[in-house]
Amino acid sequence: MTARDTTSVKRQSKFVDHGKGMVFMKTRVSLKGIGKFIWVFFALASMLFWIPKVDKMITSGMSERAACIALDDAWDVTIKGEVYPNVLLTDFPFPPVEKGDEIIMERTLPSDWELIEGALRFYVRHCAVKMYIDSEPVYTYGYDRLTQGKTLGSGYQFIKFPDSYKGKTFRIHLYSAEDHAFAKFDAIKLYEWEHAYPALMVENRLPLFCGCFLLLFGLIANVITIFALVGSIKYIRLFCISIFSICMGLWTLSYYNVMAIFGMPLYSISLINYLALYLAPIPLTVYMHHEIMNLGWKPLEVFYRLFFVTETTAIFAMITLHGFDIAHMAGTLKYMQVIFAAGLLFFFVVLLLNVKFSKVANRLSVFGMLIVMLCIAYDMVGYNFMRYLGNDFFNVRGVSSSGIMIFICILFLSFYIEMTQSMMQQKERDFLIKRAYTDELTQLHNRRYCMEYMNKLKEERDFKYTVLCFDVNNLKTVNDTCGHAKGDLLIRSAAEVIAKTFEPHGFVARVGGDEFVAVIRTADETEISLLVEQFLQDIADKNRTVTDMNLSIAYGYACGSQSEHDIEKVYQVADDRMYEKKRKMKGSAR
């Protein structure tokens, strides 16, 4: 078999091995997919197993500690000058109060409670508050901020109520600071002081868990992606998920008054609540940019840009108006709800259109967005029913935060799937590129790479180089007498010697069955002579190391510079000198 025949056989082997490599890669991807599914299933099963146990741990013993005295009945209420006697607060809807309306609530406190040091839990809704016991003021909130035109906020306040108040007259004055502040009173309860905040946590344990999860997840993902963004912009979507998660975590903890346990002022908690809610749509909109571009529909892209500009402008305008106390975010919330609802509906349609690509990530995102839309719709309807109609039928807590937590997990999972698929595709491309430019037997560059490298050198200027050509002697004789396995060993040994000497100074390629080329970036004769001496020494070392090797390589080289010579001509000179050297070596062997 000739050297050319040997090369042909090796090329065929290369394609066979390439097919095996692709099958192996697909098998490995499949195994990884199964592993991911098992991991996700294990994580979900662990959550379902541990969440009830943690919940039981939090609520254990709270039935006794959360004992309270309800003060919802027997109130005389005056609204806009109209008196309503003997009112039950939890069953008393009325027209929404407007800015500047004053409400007076009065009743006699029970004379038989057993609490020594009590805490009255009272929910404030955008009102300044004064409380009196037998005409003696015991609590005031918000009048100083009201005179300055600042927001008052909403949330629970805990007022000290010792047992000396038993049997006395309790009067509350409310002064509304916003239009449509509320249309129904919240329950008023009296707790043991040490149990007041734990009872609040137990009642809001689902929002507490969801809010903490979203906040911690967002912070960790944010720190990681900030560094990842330095290397690649493709992590911008994960960055958006982290910002959205932080916003919704803060909103959950503030909206459900969990932050009250840290003793934060009510207006500060409300500010966090509104800022988080108002800023959350922006990262979500940026995240959806990829899905819009994926559709490739120009009218939709234009609409997306207009929507993003409108949304961002409106949000920052509302925040600015709040900052200058011109229009508080509590008053512009209805407009924000419209923006949020429109954005969710728009994104849902976009994701639904993307399903036609049949990607698992898109189907997951559609499912997650549907969950979010349903959960937010539930809370929005419940909020507006309570604020404008005084109906608290939708009173299940933490629905939106739970839905958003599920959505964040789905977004992260879909992003992870996309990144994994992208990485596997990139690995496959790299694998194919490496196969296209690598000689299978020697793992050196092949002839294709050598030609492209030389063409690329033509574009450079003002550098000197040397082209070296090599030919393995006696390959045909070895193949015929000792077999092709021995011949392959001879070629690999030659490749190792050539690469060891010349690859640190340039590149080495196998361009034929027994032919090799090296291009090094120096034309200094002294350096070339030293490298050739080292090359001959390496051949001798290889022959001493490997039994019956008898490795012999003919070589020739030519120096050139890009400004003066054509590299193809230099290559031809080196090749001619190599063949001249080969003839001399054959002559001396006889």
Side-chain angles (χ1 to χ4, degrees), residues 228-354:
L229 279 172
V230 177
S232 175
I233 194 64
K234 65 184 180 182
Y235 293 100
I236 188 66
R237 301 188 76 203
L238 183 56
F239 179 76
C240 291
I241 293 174
S242 68
I243 296 297
F244 180 69
S245 182
I246 291 172
C247 288
M248 298 318 298
L250 290 173
W251 173 79
T252 301
L253 295 176
S254 56
Y255 180 75
Y256 292 101
N257 298 284
V258 178
M259 289 184 177
I261 64 176
F262 301 109
M264 295 177 63
L266 189 60
Y267 52 83
S268 297
I269 297 175
S270 288
L271 180 62
I272 294 173
N273 173 23
Y274 285 116
L275 282 177
L277 182 64
Y278 277 49
L279 294 175
I282 297 176
L284 187 59
T285 305
V286 175
Y287 176 87
M288 294 301 298
H289 178 265
H290 173 77
E291 307 296 340
I292 300 292
M293 296 298 109
N294 199 36
L295 291 172
W297 190 25
K298 289 297 181 183
L300 194 64
E301 294 175 13
V302 172
F303 180 80
Y304 168 79
R305 293 189 180 95
L306 289 174
F307 175 78
F308 179 68
V309 171
T310 304
E311 174 191 65
T312 307
T313 303
I315 289 172
F316 282 102
M318 286 185 277
I319 293 175
T320 302
L321 291 173
H322 178 92
F324 287 99
D325 293 317
I326 298 173
H328 297 152
M329 286 187 280
T332 57
L333 180 59
K334 54 188 175 183
Y335 306 113
M336 189 63 227
Q337 288 178 331
V338 173
I339 292 174
F340 215 155
L344 287 173
L345 185 60
F346 174 53
F347 299 152
F348 180 73
V349 172
V350 170
L351 291 170
L352 204 59
L353 291 173
N354 269 279

Side-chain angles (χ1 to χ4, degrees), residues 90-378:
T90 54
D91 190 25
F92 179 58
F94 48 86
V97 296
E98 304 294 335
K99 184 176 181 179
D101 287 350
E102 187 173 9
I103 299 174
I104 301 174
M105 308 164 59
E106 186 175 303
R107 67 158 289 169
T108 301
L109 293 172
S111 57
D112 57 350
W113 79 57
E114 298 179 358
L115 306 179
I116 306 279
E117 193 69 28
L120 183 77
R121 192 175 79 178
F122 182 77
Y123 199 97
V124 177
R125 292 185 184 273
H126 306 293
C127 288
V129 183
K130 285 184 179 179
M131 294 185 180
Y132 300 87
I133 299 293
D134 285 349
S135 301
E136 179 183 348
V138 295
Y139 174 78
T140 301
Y141 169 78
Y143 280 91
D144 53 341
R145 295 183 61 83
L146 188 64
T147 56
Q148 299 172 20
K150 296 184 178 297
T151 184
L152 301 181
S154 296
Y156 284 114
Q157 292 287 68
F158 293 90
I159 299 98
K160 188 175 182 180
F161 252 57
D163 61 351
S164 59
Y165 292 167
K166 289 191 292 187
K168 296 185 178 181
T169 301
F170 180 35
R171 189 169 75 255
I172 304 174
H173 286 228
L174 302 175
Y175 191 88
S176 177
E178 303 289 346
D179 288 329
H180 300 91
F182 57 95
K184 189 176 182 180
F185 296 111
D186 294 272
I188 302 175
K189 297 179 180 180
L190 192 61
Y191 293 87
E192 286 280 5
W193 184 264
E194 61 180 2
H195 296 157
Y197 288 103
L200 178 63
M201 289 182 61
V202 170
E203 291 178 11
N204 294 280
R205 58 188 180 277
L206 180 58
L208 173 64
F209 171 77
C210 295
C212 290
F213 172 85
L214 292 172
L215 185 58
L216 290 175
F217 167 81
L219 289 172
I220 293 171
N222 186 260
V223 171
I224 294 173
T225 49
I226 284 176
F227 291 102
L229 279 172
V230 177
S232 175
I233 194 64
K234 65 184 180 182
Y235 293 100
I236 188 66
R237 301 188 76 203
L238 183 56
F239 179 76
C240 291
I241 293 174
S242 68
I243 296 297
F244 180 69
S245 182
I246 291 172
C247 288
M248 298 318 298
L250 290 173
W251 173 79
T252 301
L253 295 176
S254 56
Y255 180 75
Y256 292 101
N257 298 284
V258 178
M259 289 184 177
I261 64 176
F262 301 109
M264 295 177 63
L266 189 60
Y267 52 83
S268 297
I269 297 175
S270 288
L271 180 62
I272 294 173
N273 173 23
Y274 285 116
L275 282 177
L277 182 64
Y278 277 49
L279 294 175
I282 297 176
L284 187 59
T285 305
V286 175
Y287 176 87
M288 294 301 298
H289 178 265
H290 173 77
E291 307 296 340
I292 300 292
M293 296 298 109
N294 199 36
L295 291 172
W297 190 25
K298 289 297 181 183
L300 194 64
E301 294 175 13
V302 172
F303 180 80
Y304 168 79
R305 293 189 180 95
L306 289 174
F307 175 78
F308 179 68
V309 171
T310 304
E311 174 191 65
T312 307
T313 303
I315 289 172
F316 282 102
M318 286 185 277
I319 293 175
T320 302
L321 291 173
H322 178 92
F324 287 99
D325 293 317
I326 298 173
H328 297 152
M329 286 187 280
T332 57
L333 180 59
K334 54 188 175 183
Y335 306 113
M336 189 63 227
Q337 288 178 331
V338 173
I339 292 174
F340 215 155
L344 287 173
L345 185 60
F346 174 53
F347 299 152
F348 180 73
V349 172
V350 170
L351 291 170
L352 204 59
L353 291 173
N354 269 279
V355 171
K356 67 181 182 181
F357 293 100
S358 299
K359 290 183 178 180
V360 175
N362 287 324
R363 292 198 293 270
L364 282 173
S365 298
V366 171
F367 177 69
M369 186 64 76
L370 180 60
I371 291 175
V372 168
M373 290 181 66
L374 293 175
C375 292
I376 291 181
Y378 176 92

